[in-house]
Structure formats: C-alpha cells, structure tokens
Amino acid sequence: LYFGVNPSTCDRVMNRSAADRCAFVKSTPDCTMADGFINYLYTVFCLLPPNLTPLTITLCVSIIWLLFLFVILGLTASKFFCPNLSAISSTLHLSHNVAGVTFLALGNGAPDIFSAMAAFSHPHTAGLAVGALFGAGIFVTTVVAGNVALVKPFTVASRPFLRDVIFYMTAVFWTFLMLYRGTVTLGETLGYMSLYVVYVLTVIISTYIYNRQKYSVNTSVQNSEYRPLLPYLESTSHILLSSLNPVDHRKWRRKSWRWRALKVVKTPLEVLLLLCIPVVDPDKEDKNWRRPLNCLHLITAPLVCVLAFESGAYGEYMIQGQFPLWLLVLLLGLFLSAIVFCTTTNDCPPKYHPLFALLGFMVSAVLISAAASEVVSLLHMLGVVLSLSNTVLGLTLLAWGNSIGDCFSDITIARQGYPRMAISACFGGIIFNMLLGVGLGCLLQMVKTQSDVQFESEGLLTWVLAGSLGLSLVLSFVIVPLCHFHLGRTYGIFLLVFYAIFLVIALLTEFGKIHTVST
C-alpha cells in the first residue's frame, strides 16, 4: 500500500525540459521504482524519444501492457489460485468462512503487508501507510464486496458476517485512535497484532461448534467417493502432453468466434502457467494427479517463486556471495522430482498429493502479487507522466491497482459458487492487512529506532478516509440484518454508489473545495 516511488518528488520531472528528465530520474533516489520488474520511469524518460512520452507511450503501449497483466491476473486467479484454495479447504475440512479469513486473506494480503512494512521504514511515511490502508479498506469492502453481491446474490451467514464487521470496526477504531494520538507504544503494537489472532481463533471456534452438530450426518460418505473407477492406460508422454492442453474440444465447438479468438490469445500464457503451477481437484476421481507434470512442477514451481518473489529480488541472491540461490532451488527440485517420479505411478495419486495444492496456492499467490506489483508500478508511472498528485493517485489509480489481486480472487471465487468465502475474504483480508501490516511495520520500526513510532497526519483527507470507512461498516452492520442477511444486487449497487460518493468527497477535499473552518 506504499510504493517504491515518492510522487511528491518524482512529479517534478515533468517540470524539467525533455533533455533534463532522464538525468533527473537517474539522480533522484525516489524515482527508483522498487516494486516491479521494469523501471517504467527510466524506460519512459531515458530509453524512449521525448516526443513519444505524452501520448503514444502513455496511452497506447501502457494500455496494451496493462491488459496483458490483467489477463495474467485473471488466468492465475481463476484457473490456479481458486481451485487450489478450494482443495486446501476440502483437505483440511475448513468451512468457507475459515478459508476466507486465513488462506485467501493471506494470498490477497501478502503484497500489502510487505508494502506497509516498507512504508514504516521511514517515520514520515507511517501516517501515509495507515491512510492508504484506510483507502484500500473502503475499496475492498465497497467495490469488491459490491461486485461479489452483484455477481452472485446470496444469503450470508448471519453470525460470521456480524462477527467480521464488529472485528473490523474495532480494528478501524483502534487505528483511528493511534492516528489521533500520533504515537504508538510497544504494548499497544503487540495488543494490536493480537487482535487478529483473537479474530482467527474466534472464527475457528465458532465454525467448529457449528459444524459439530452436523458432523454425524456426513461421516459415511467420505472414503469411496474419489477412488478411480479404472486405472489409466495412457503412456507417461501422452499424459504430459494432454495435461498441457488447455483447450476443451467440446467447449471449443460450442463457443462463439469471439471466445475462440480470446482463447487463442490466452493459450500460450495458460500453457506456461500449467507448466509452473500444480492444480489439485478433489472433485475428480484422480484428484487431477498427473505424474509427469506434477514431477515437473517440483522443479518449476519453486524456481518461479524465487524468481518472481519481491519482483525478482532473490533471483540474483548469492549464498555467501558464491552460490546462486536459484541454482540451489533448481537442484533441490530435481532431487525431489526424481524421488517422486520413481516412487509413484501414473494411475494412483500418492498420499501426499494434497501438498501439491499448497504448492500451487503459494506459486499462484506469488504470481498474482508480482503481476499486481507490475500493474501498480505501471499506473504509478502514468500518474507521474500525467502529473497526478500523490493523493489523487492513491485514491484512484494506485488504490484500484493495489486491489486488483483481491478483485480477481474474490469475484472469481464468487462466480465459481463460493460467495460466502469471497465475502469473508473481503473483511478477513482487510483485517489481516490492517492489523498485521500496521502492527509488523510499527514493530520493525521500534526495533530499528528503539523508540515509539510517531505518526504524521496527512491532514483532513486522513479523517475523511477513516470516517468513510467507519460509516460504510456501520451502514452494512445496520442494513444487512434489515435485509434478513440477503446480499442481493440492491446491496451491491448501494456499496458502489457509496464508494462513488466517497471518492467525490475525497477529491473535493484534496482540491480544497472542502476544508476545515479556521476559528
């Protein structure tokens, strides 16, 4: 939620002459884009002709690249992240609510946690990080939750919904007090972080008590459901090739030419993802066990994690300055792959096959994080080139870009028939981001400085953000019970309208049209 470029400094590049912009970007540390594989500011101002910057590059190439990143996010979320999350939930016998506030919250929130922790490395940006968390919270709990209700209207479980809203209101109020006081101590930080632990324990205990009453009904249907009816007779090479074919020939014949054209564009990318990310499907007879491909995943998946995590920061890491980390991961992957290939068969998944779902979940989460970081960096470059202010950029392009992973994951899960898990992730994920992001950031800052953390308020807009988030939660706390806990399209439209009103008020505040009256 805090990004590697400081727009207040880098915006000055547009005030320079075209000939001086490259030198300014090179000499200004704040223009070094820490998030993303590509330094877009350097690319635009140093590698491209100056006369291409305003229109051609900004509006054409950037939009094409942005659409490609959206395709990566959509494919990774729908084809790999969500199925593996469902498999983990089934394996651990987790309810949709528990899965939403734990695994899905972790997958959605990991990049935000690291970004918030980075913001707290500089005391003067701590208040900005908290304000950004409020902004993202409003977006997720209104726009993302509203789209979930629009995509899949459903009746939410009353107790989990009220529990999530109450915990989130508590976290928001606590954060508001920290901002108001302007300082936070070690004891407050530990208590702040422990609130999330209490929240998760409350979810697990309440779900266990609820499911205990129904357990006796379902105990007799567990063992024989997923046994393969017939053994596979395919050769290993044929299994590998068929596993890498993402095209369903029956669906291909039924679909329109537009769907086919889009499928042709997405197929090369989908094949690459199939090579890197395992998928476990508990609903299939063989749980989607593909021996040659799964053995290959033990090599490619960890390698992708190392090369993609933190925008490739660990790709060049040398162990004791001599041995590259990626080579060690590659050798370990080859060793594990050989063991699995020699100790398994094509027709029978091993007992540890569910662990591949955890591996697939981790790899897809890393790729979603990497793609979302690229989107954020690209949008940030557009904001600098188009001379958008820090606040406007944060409330619009950066807030939307930073929540892309949440949007794709939650809405895709809702489309696949799990709206309760998606709505739990909307609240559980943002509680996770706020409590652990601010808590860990404060803790690290205290360790470095050996003193309490000081917050510098960003002015009236911070209180607009906090007040809007609190108001949206209170309204949901009142309206949803009045609607008998049915989240329909009316509720979804209400949330979207609320966000639009908030955005107008926030922009008017930024441009000075709304301000405090001095006495």
Side-chain angles (χ1 to χ4, degrees), residues 174 184-196 439 443 446:
W174 197 334
V184 58
T185 63
L186 178 61
E188 289 174 330
T189 301
L190 295 177
Y192 189 79
M193 293 172 62
S194 66
L195 182 61
Y196 183 74
L443 197 61
M446 288 177 184

Side-chain angles (χ1 to χ4, degrees), residues 204-224:
I204 294 173
I205 292 171
S206 60
T207 304
Y208 173 77
I209 294 173
Y210 177 77
N211 289 339
R212 194 176 177 185
Q213 302 171 358
K214 297 186 175 182
Y215 180 72
S216 58
V217 182
N218 300 320
T219 51
S220 60
V221 225
Q222 299 292 330
N223 295 325
S224 60

Side-chain angles (χ1 to χ4, degrees), residues 81-135:
F81 183 84
C82 298
N84 281 314
L85 176 65
S86 178
I88 292 172
S89 304
S90 300
T91 303
L92 299 178
H93 304 291
L94 298 179
S95 71
H96 293 167
N97 290 319
V98 176
V101 302
T102 52
F103 286 102
L104 187 54
L106 176 63
N108 285 346
D112 299 340
I113 295 297
F114 288 116
S115 299
M117 290 168 60
F120 280 95
S121 62
H122 303 286
H124 67 279
T125 61
L128 176 62
V130 176
L133 284 167
F134 278 135

Side-chain angles (χ1 to χ4, degrees), residues 70 85 94 116 120 179 228 232 263 270 342 360 391 444 451 508:
F70 282 148
L85 176 65
L94 298 179
F120 280 95
L179 276 175
Y232 281 102
K263 189 67 176 178
E270 200 166 343
C342 295
T391 305
L444 289 178
S451 63
L508 289 176

